[in-house]
Coordinates of all heavy atoms in Angstrom, one line a residue:
G126 N 14.5 61.9 -18.5 CA 13.2 61.3 -18.6 C 12.4 61.4 -17.3 O 11.3 61.8 -17.3
C127 N 13.1 61.0 -16.2 CA 12.4 61.1 -14.9 C 12.0 62.5 -14.5 O 10.8 62.8 -14.1 CB 13.3 60.5 -13.8 SG 13.5 58.7 -13.9
L128 N 12.9 63.4 -14.6 CA 12.6 64.8 -14.3 C 11.5 65.4 -15.2 O 10.6 66.1 -14.7 CB 13.9 65.7 -14.4 CG 15.0 65.4 -13.4 CD1 16.2 66.2 -13.8 CD2 14.6 65.6 -12.0
M129 N 11.6 65.1 -16.5 CA 10.6 65.6 -17.4 C 9.2 65.0 -17.1 O 8.1 65.7 -17.2 CB 11.0 65.3 -18.8 CG 10.3 66.1 -19.9 SD 11.0 65.8 -21.5 CE 10.0 67.0 -22.5
L130 N 9.1 63.7 -16.8 CA 7.8 63.0 -16.6 C 7.2 63.6 -15.3 O 6.0 63.8 -15.3 CB 8.0 61.5 -16.5 CG 6.8 60.7 -16.2 CD1 5.8 60.9 -17.4 CD2 7.2 59.2 -16.0
I131 N 8.0 63.8 -14.3 CA 7.4 64.3 -13.0 C 6.8 65.7 -13.2 O 5.6 66.0 -12.8 CB 8.5 64.3 -12.0 CG1 8.9 62.9 -11.6 CG2 8.0 65.1 -10.7 CD1 10.2 62.9 -10.7
E132 N 7.6 66.6 -13.9 CA 7.1 67.9 -14.1 C 5.8 68.0 -15.0 O 4.9 68.7 -14.8 CB 8.1 68.8 -14.7 CG 7.8 70.3 -14.7 CD 6.8 70.7 -15.8 OE1 6.8 70.0 -16.9 OE2 6.0 71.7 -15.6
S133 N 5.9 67.1 -16.1 CA 4.8 67.1 -17.1 C 3.5 66.6 -16.4 O 2.4 67.1 -16.7 CB 5.2 66.2 -18.3 OG 6.3 66.7 -18.8
L134 N 3.6 65.6 -15.6 CA 2.4 65.0 -14.9 C 1.8 66.1 -13.9 O 0.6 66.2 -13.8 CB 2.7 63.7 -14.2 CG 3.0 62.5 -15.1 CD1 3.5 61.3 -14.2 CD2 1.8 62.2 -15.9
R135 N 2.7 66.8 -13.3 CA 2.2 67.8 -12.4 C 1.5 68.9 -13.1 O 0.4 69.4 -12.7 CB 3.4 68.5 -11.6 CG 4.0 67.6 -10.5 CD 5.2 68.2 -9.9 NE 5.7 67.4 -8.8 CZ 6.9 67.7 -8.1 NH1 7.6 68.8 -8.5 NH2 7.3 66.9 -7.2
A136 N 2.0 69.3 -14.3 CA 1.4 70.3 -15.1 C 0.0 69.8 -15.6 O -0.9 70.6 -15.7 CB 2.3 70.8 -16.2
W137 N 0.0 68.6 -16.0 CA -1.2 68.0 -16.5 C -2.3 67.9 -15.5 O -3.5 68.3 -15.8 CB -0.9 66.6 -17.1 CG -2.2 65.9 -17.5 CD1 -2.8 64.9 -16.9 CD2 -2.8 66.0 -18.8 NE1 -3.9 64.4 -17.7 CE2 -3.9 65.1 -18.8 CE3 -2.6 66.9 -19.9 CZ2 -4.8 65.1 -19.9 CZ3 -3.5 66.8 -21.0 CH2 -4.6 65.9 -20.9
F138 N -2.0 67.5 -14.2 CA -3.0 67.4 -13.2 C -3.4 68.8 -12.8 O -4.6 69.0 -12.4 CB -2.4 66.7 -12.0 CG -2.4 65.2 -12.2 CD1 -1.2 64.5 -12.1 CD2 -3.5 64.4 -12.6 CE1 -1.1 63.1 -12.4 CE2 -3.4 63.1 -12.8 CZ -2.3 62.4 -12.7
R139 N -2.6 69.8 -12.8 CA -3.0 71.2 -12.5 C -4.0 71.7 -13.5 O -4.9 72.3 -13.2 CB -1.8 72.1 -12.5 CG -0.9 72.0 -11.2 CD 0.0 73.2 -11.0 NE 0.8 73.5 -12.2 CZ 2.1 73.0 -12.3 NH1 2.6 72.2 -11.4 NH2 2.8 73.2 -13.4
L140 N -3.7 71.3 -14.8 CA -4.6 71.7 -15.8 C -6.0 71.1 -15.7 O -7.0 71.7 -15.9 CB -4.0 71.4 -17.2 CG -4.8 71.8 -18.5 CD1 -4.9 73.3 -18.5 CD2 -4.1 71.2 -19.7
R141 N -6.0 69.7 -15.4 CA -7.2 69.0 -15.2 C -8.0 69.5 -14.1 O -9.3 69.4 -14.1 CB -7.0 67.5 -15.1 CG -6.3 66.9 -16.3 CD -7.3 66.9 -17.5 NE -8.4 66.1 -17.3 CZ -8.6 64.8 -17.5 NH1 -7.5 64.2 -18.1 NH2 -9.7 64.2 -17.3
S142 N -7.4 69.9 -13.0 CA -8.0 70.4 -11.8 C -8.4 71.9 -11.8 O -8.8 72.4 -10.9 CB -7.2 70.1 -10.5 OG -6.0 70.8 -10.6
H143 N -8.1 72.5 -12.9 CA -8.3 74.0 -13.2 C -7.6 74.8 -12.1 O -8.0 75.9 -11.7 CB -9.8 74.3 -13.1 CG -10.6 73.4 -14.0 ND1 -10.6 73.7 -15.4 CD2 -11.5 72.4 -13.8 CE1 -11.5 72.8 -16.0 NE2 -12.0 72.0 -15.0
A144 N -6.4 74.3 -11.7 CA -5.6 75.1 -10.8 C -4.9 76.2 -11.5 O -4.8 76.2 -12.8 CB -4.5 74.2 -10.1
S145 N -4.5 77.2 -10.8 CA -3.8 78.3 -11.5 C -2.5 77.8 -12.1 O -1.7 77.1 -11.5 CB -3.5 79.4 -10.4 OG -2.7 78.8 -9.4
R146 N -2.3 78.3 -13.2 CA -1.1 77.9 -14.0 C 0.2 78.6 -13.5 O 0.2 79.8 -13.3 CB -1.3 78.2 -15.5 CG -0.2 77.6 -16.3 CD -0.5 77.8 -17.8 NE 0.5 77.3 -18.6 CZ 0.5 77.4 -20.0 NH1 -0.4 78.0 -20.6 NH2 1.6 76.9 -20.7
R147 N 1.2 77.8 -13.3 CA 2.5 78.3 -12.8 C 3.5 78.4 -13.9 O 3.3 77.6 -14.9 CB 3.0 77.5 -11.6 CG 2.1 77.6 -10.4 CD 2.8 76.9 -9.2 NE 2.9 75.5 -9.5 CZ 3.5 74.6 -8.6 NH1 4.0 75.1 -7.5 NH2 3.5 73.3 -8.9
K148 N 4.5 79.2 -13.8 CA 5.5 79.3 -14.8 C 6.3 78.0 -14.9 O 6.5 77.3 -13.9 CB 6.5 80.4 -14.5 CG 5.8 81.8 -14.7 CD 6.9 82.9 -14.3 CE 6.3 84.3 -14.5 NZ 7.3 85.3 -14.3
L149 N 6.7 77.6 -16.2 CA 7.4 76.4 -16.3 C 8.9 76.6 -15.9 O 9.6 75.6 -15.7 CB 7.4 76.0 -17.8 CG 6.1 75.5 -18.3 CD1 6.2 75.2 -19.8 CD2 5.7 74.2 -17.6
H150 N 9.3 77.9 -15.7 CA 10.8 78.1 -15.4 C 10.8 79.1 -14.3 O 9.9 79.9 -14.1 CB 11.6 78.5 -16.6 CG 11.3 79.9 -17.0 ND1 10.1 80.2 -17.6 CD2 12.0 81.0 -17.0 CE1 10.1 81.6 -18.0 NE2 11.2 82.0 -17.5
H151 N 11.9 79.2 -13.6 CA 12.2 80.2 -12.6 C 13.4 80.9 -13.0 O 14.2 80.5 -13.8 CB 12.3 79.6 -11.2 CG 11.1 78.7 -10.8 ND1 10.0 79.3 -10.2 CD2 10.8 77.4 -10.9 CE1 9.1 78.3 -10.0 NE2 9.6 77.2 -10.4
H152 N 13.7 82.1 -12.3 CA 14.9 82.8 -12.6 C 16.0 82.3 -11.7 O 16.0 82.3 -10.5 CB 14.7 84.3 -12.3 CG 13.9 85.0 -13.3 ND1 14.4 85.4 -14.5 CD2 12.5 85.2 -13.4 CE1 13.4 85.9 -15.3 NE2 12.3 85.9 -14.6
Y153 N 17.1 81.8 -12.3 CA 18.3 81.2 -11.7 C 19.4 82.3 -11.9 O 19.3 83.3 -12.6 CB 18.7 79.9 -12.3 CG 17.6 78.9 -12.2 CD1 16.9 78.6 -13.4 CD2 17.2 78.2 -11.0 CE1 15.9 77.6 -13.4 CE2 16.2 77.2 -11.0 CZ 15.5 77.0 -12.2 OH 14.5 76.1 -12.2
W154 N 20.5 82.0 -11.2 CA 21.7 82.8 -11.4 C 22.2 83.0 -12.8 O 22.8 83.9 -13.3 CB 22.8 82.4 -10.5 CG 23.3 81.0 -10.8 CD1 22.9 79.8 -10.4 CD2 24.4 80.7 -11.8 NE1 23.7 78.8 -11.0 CE2 24.6 79.3 -11.8 CE3 25.2 81.5 -12.6 CZ2 25.5 78.7 -12.6 CZ3 26.2 80.9 -13.4 CH2 26.3 79.5 -13.4
L155 N 21.8 81.9 -13.6 CA 22.2 81.9 -15.0 C 21.6 83.1 -15.8 O 22.1 83.6 -16.8 CB 21.8 80.6 -15.7 CG 22.5 79.4 -15.3 CD1 21.9 78.1 -15.8 CD2 24.0 79.4 -15.7
H156 N 20.4 83.5 -15.4 CA 19.7 84.6 -16.0 C 20.4 85.9 -15.8 O 20.0 86.9 -16.5 CB 18.2 84.6 -15.6 CG 17.4 83.5 -16.0 ND1 17.4 82.3 -15.3 CD2 16.6 83.2 -17.1 CE1 16.6 81.3 -15.9 NE2 16.2 82.0 -17.0
G157 N 21.3 86.0 -14.9 CA 22.0 87.2 -14.6 C 23.3 87.4 -15.3 O 24.0 88.3 -15.1
L158 N 23.6 86.4 -16.1 CA 24.9 86.4 -16.8 C 24.9 87.6 -17.9 O 23.9 88.0 -18.4 CB 25.1 85.1 -17.6 CG 25.3 83.9 -16.7 CD1 25.4 82.6 -17.5 CD2 26.6 84.0 -15.9
P159 N 26.1 88.0 -18.2 CA 26.2 89.1 -19.2 C 25.9 88.7 -20.6 O 25.5 87.5 -20.9 CB 27.7 89.6 -19.0 CG 28.4 88.3 -18.6 CD 27.4 87.6 -17.7
F160 N 26.2 89.7 -21.6 CA 26.0 89.4 -23.0 C 24.5 89.1 -23.3 O 24.2 88.1 -24.0 CB 26.9 88.3 -23.5 CG 28.3 88.5 -23.2 CD1 29.0 87.8 -22.3 CD2 29.0 89.6 -23.8 CE1 30.3 87.9 -22.0 CE2 30.3 89.8 -23.5 CZ 31.0 89.0 -22.6
K161 N 23.6 89.9 -22.8 CA 22.2 89.6 -23.0 C 21.7 90.0 -24.4 O 22.2 91.0 -25.0 CB 21.3 90.3 -22.0 CG 21.5 89.8 -20.5 CD 20.5 90.3 -19.6 CE 20.5 89.6 -18.2 NZ 19.5 90.1 -17.3
L162 N 20.8 89.2 -24.9 CA 20.2 89.4 -26.2 C 18.7 89.3 -26.1 O 18.2 88.6 -25.2 CB 20.7 88.4 -27.2 CG 22.2 88.4 -27.7 CD1 22.5 87.3 -28.6 CD2 22.6 89.8 -28.3
R163 N 18.0 90.0 -27.0 CA 16.5 89.9 -27.0 C 16.1 89.0 -28.2 O 16.5 89.2 -29.3 CB 16.0 91.3 -27.2 CG 14.4 91.4 -27.0 CD 13.9 92.8 -27.0 NE 14.5 93.6 -26.1 CZ 14.2 93.7 -24.8 NH1 13.2 92.9 -24.3 NH2 14.8 94.5 -23.9
F164 N 15.3 88.0 -27.7 CA 14.8 87.1 -28.7 C 13.3 87.3 -28.9 O 12.5 86.9 -28.1 CB 15.1 85.6 -28.3 CG 16.5 85.3 -28.1 CD1 17.1 85.4 -26.8 CD2 17.3 84.8 -29.2 CE1 18.5 85.2 -26.6 CE2 18.7 84.6 -29.0 CZ 19.2 84.7 -27.8
Q165 N 13.0 88.0 -30.0 CA 11.6 88.5 -30.2 C 10.6 87.4 -30.3 O 9.5 87.4 -29.7 CB 11.5 89.4 -31.4 CG 12.4 90.7 -31.4 CD 11.8 91.7 -30.5 OE1 10.7 91.6 -29.9 NE2 12.6 92.8 -30.2
R166 N 11.0 86.3 -31.1 CA 10.0 85.3 -31.3 C 9.6 84.5 -30.0 O 8.5 84.1 -29.8 CB 10.5 84.3 -32.3 CG 9.5 83.3 -32.9 CD 8.6 84.1 -33.8 NE 7.4 83.2 -34.3 CZ 6.3 83.0 -33.6 NH1 6.1 83.7 -32.5 NH2 5.4 82.2 -34.1
S167 N 10.6 84.4 -29.1 CA 10.4 83.7 -27.9 C 10.0 84.6 -26.7 O 9.8 84.2 -25.6 CB 11.7 82.9 -27.5 OG 12.0 81.9 -28.5
R168 N 10.0 85.9 -27.0 CA 9.7 86.9 -26.0 C 10.6 86.8 -24.8 O 10.1 86.8 -23.6 CB 8.2 86.8 -25.6 CG 7.2 87.0 -26.7 CD 5.8 87.1 -26.2 NE 5.3 85.9 -25.6 CZ 4.9 84.8 -26.2 NH1 4.8 84.8 -27.6 NH2 4.5 83.7 -25.6
L169 N 11.9 86.7 -25.0 CA 12.9 86.6 -24.0 C 13.9 87.6 -24.1 O 14.3 88.1 -25.2 CB 13.5 85.2 -24.0 CG 12.6 84.0 -23.7 CD1 13.4 82.7 -23.9 CD2 12.1 84.1 -22.2
Y170 N 14.5 88.0 -23.0 CA 15.7 88.9 -22.9 C 16.7 88.2 -21.9 O 16.6 88.4 -20.7 CB 15.3 90.3 -22.5 CG 16.5 91.2 -22.4 CD1 17.2 91.5 -23.5 CD2 16.9 91.8 -21.2 CE1 18.3 92.4 -23.5 CE2 18.0 92.7 -21.1 CZ 18.7 93.0 -22.3 OH 19.8 93.9 -22.2
I171 N 17.6 87.4 -22.4 CA 18.5 86.6 -21.6 C 19.9 86.6 -22.1 O 20.2 87.1 -23.2 CB 18.0 85.1 -21.6 CG1 18.1 84.5 -23.0 CG2 16.6 84.9 -20.9 CD1 17.8 83.0 -23.1
S172 N 20.8 86.1 -21.3 CA 22.3 86.0 -21.7 C 22.4 85.0 -22.8 O 21.9 83.9 -22.8 CB 23.1 85.7 -20.5 OG 24.4 85.4 -20.9
A173 N 23.2 85.4 -23.8 CA 23.5 84.5 -24.9 C 24.4 83.3 -24.5 O 24.5 82.3 -25.2 CB 24.3 85.2 -26.0
L174 N 25.0 83.4 -23.3 CA 25.8 82.4 -22.8 C 25.1 81.1 -22.4 O 25.5 80.0 -22.5 CB 26.6 82.8 -21.6 CG 27.6 84.0 -21.7 CD1 28.3 84.3 -20.5 CD2 28.7 83.5 -22.8
M175 N 23.7 81.3 -22.1 CA 22.9 80.1 -21.8 C 22.7 79.2 -23.0 O 22.9 78.0 -22.9 CB 21.6 80.6 -21.2 CG 21.7 81.2 -19.8 SD 20.1 81.9 -19.2 CE 19.2 80.4 -19.1
P176 N 22.1 79.8 -24.1 CA 22.0 78.9 -25.3 C 23.3 78.4 -25.9 O 23.4 77.3 -26.4 CB 21.2 79.7 -26.2 CG 21.4 81.2 -25.8 CD 21.6 81.1 -24.3
L177 N 24.4 79.2 -25.7 CA 25.7 78.8 -26.2 C 26.2 77.6 -25.4 O 26.7 76.6 -26.0 CB 26.7 79.9 -26.1 CG 26.8 81.0 -27.2 CD1 27.7 82.1 -26.8 CD2 27.2 80.4 -28.5
G178 N 26.1 77.6 -24.1 CA 26.5 76.5 -23.4 C 25.7 75.3 -23.6 O 26.2 74.1 -23.6
L179 N 24.3 75.4 -23.7 CA 23.5 74.3 -24.1 C 23.8 73.7 -25.4 O 23.9 72.5 -25.5 CB 22.0 74.8 -24.0 CG 20.9 73.8 -24.4 CD1 21.0 72.6 -23.4 CD2 19.6 74.4 -24.4
G180 N 24.1 74.6 -26.4 CA 24.4 74.1 -27.7 C 25.8 73.3 -27.7 O 25.9 72.3 -28.3
L181 N 26.7 73.8 -26.8 CA 28.0 73.1 -26.7 C 27.8 71.7 -26.2 O 28.4 70.7 -26.7 CB 28.9 73.9 -25.8 CG 30.3 73.3 -25.5 CD1 31.2 73.4 -26.8 CD2 31.0 74.0 -24.4
L182 N 27.0 71.5 -25.1 CA 26.8 70.2 -24.5 C 26.1 69.3 -25.5 O 26.4 68.1 -25.7 CB 26.0 70.4 -23.3 CG 25.5 69.1 -22.6 CD1 26.7 68.3 -22.2 CD2 24.6 69.4 -21.3
V183 N 25.1 69.8 -26.2 CA 24.3 69.0 -27.1 C 25.2 68.6 -28.3 O 25.1 67.4 -28.8 CB 23.1 69.8 -27.7 CG1 22.4 69.1 -28.9 CG2 22.1 70.0 -26.5
G184 N 26.1 69.4 -28.8 CA 27.1 69.1 -29.8 C 27.9 67.9 -29.4 O 28.2 67.0 -30.2
I185 N 28.4 67.9 -28.2 CA 29.2 66.8 -27.7 C 28.4 65.5 -27.7 O 28.9 64.4 -28.1 CB 29.8 67.1 -26.3 CG1 30.8 68.3 -26.4 CG2 30.5 65.9 -25.7 CD1 31.2 68.8 -25.0
L186 N 27.2 65.6 -27.2 CA 26.3 64.4 -27.1 C 26.0 63.9 -28.5 O 25.9 62.6 -28.7 CB 25.0 64.7 -26.4 CG 25.1 65.0 -24.9 CD1 23.8 65.3 -24.3 CD2 25.8 63.9 -24.1
A187 N 25.8 64.8 -29.5 CA 25.5 64.4 -30.8 C 26.6 63.5 -31.4 O 26.4 62.5 -32.1 CB 25.3 65.6 -31.7
A188 N 27.9 63.8 -31.1 CA 29.0 63.1 -31.6 C 29.2 61.8 -30.9 O 29.5 60.7 -31.5 CB 30.3 64.0 -31.6
V189 N 29.1 61.8 -29.6 CA 29.4 60.6 -28.8 C 28.3 59.6 -28.8 O 28.5 58.4 -28.8 CB 29.8 61.0 -27.3 CG1 30.0 59.8 -26.5 CG2 31.0 61.9 -27.4
M190 N 27.0 60.1 -28.8 CA 25.9 59.2 -28.6 C 25.1 59.0 -29.9 O 24.2 58.2 -29.9 CB 24.9 59.7 -27.5 CG 25.6 59.8 -26.1 SD 24.5 60.6 -24.9 CE 23.1 59.5 -24.9
G191 N 25.4 59.8 -30.9 CA 24.7 59.6 -32.2 C 23.3 60.2 -32.0 O 22.3 59.6 -32.7
V192 N 23.1 61.3 -31.3 CA 21.7 61.8 -31.1 C 21.7 63.2 -31.5 O 22.8 63.9 -31.7 CB 21.4 61.8 -29.6 CG1 21.3 60.3 -29.1 CG2 22.3 62.6 -28.7
G193 N 20.5 63.8 -31.8 CA 20.4 65.2 -32.1 C 20.5 66.0 -30.8 O 20.7 67.2 -30.9
G194 N 20.2 65.4 -29.7 CA 20.3 66.1 -28.4 C 19.0 66.7 -28.0 O 18.9 67.4 -27.0
G195 N 17.9 66.5 -28.8 CA 16.7 67.1 -28.5 C 16.1 66.6 -27.2 O 15.4 67.3 -26.5
F196 N 16.4 65.3 -26.7 CA 15.8 64.8 -25.5 C 16.4 65.6 -24.3 O 15.8 65.7 -23.3 CB 16.2 63.4 -25.3 CG 17.7 63.1 -25.0 CD1 18.1 63.0 -23.7 CD2 18.6 62.9 -26.0 CE1 19.5 62.8 -23.5 CE2 19.9 62.7 -25.8 CZ 20.4 62.6 -24.5
L197 N 17.6 66.3 -24.5 CA 18.1 67.2 -23.5 C 17.7 68.7 -23.8 O 17.4 69.4 -22.9 CB 19.6 67.0 -23.4 CG 20.4 67.9 -22.4 CD1 19.9 67.6 -20.9 CD2 21.8 67.7 -22.5

Side-chain angles (χ1 to χ4, degrees):
C127 287
L128 294 176
M129 195 173 183
L130 181 61
I131 292 171
E132 191 285 329
S133 300
L134 289 174
R135 286 177 178 173
W137 175 258
F138 286 123
R139 285 198 303 269
L140 182 65
R141 295 294 296 271
S142 62
H143 305 287
S145 59
R146 186 176 181 181
R147 294 186 294 180
K148 291 184 178 180
L149 290 175
H150 73 290
H151 303 277
H152 285 279
Y153 304 104
W154 63 270
L155 292 170
H156 292 85
L158 293 174
F160 307 109
K161 289 191 175 182
L162 293 178
R163 190 173 302 279
F164 300 93
Q165 298 287 351
R166 192 72 186 90
S167 300
R168 300 188 298 276
L169 292 174
Y170 181 62
I171 60 172
S172 171
L174 296 178
M175 292 176 63
L177 276 174
L179 177 60
L181 180 71
L182 176 60
V183 169
I185 295 174
L186 294 180
V189 175
M190 298 174 61
V192 299
F196 71 91
L197 177 64

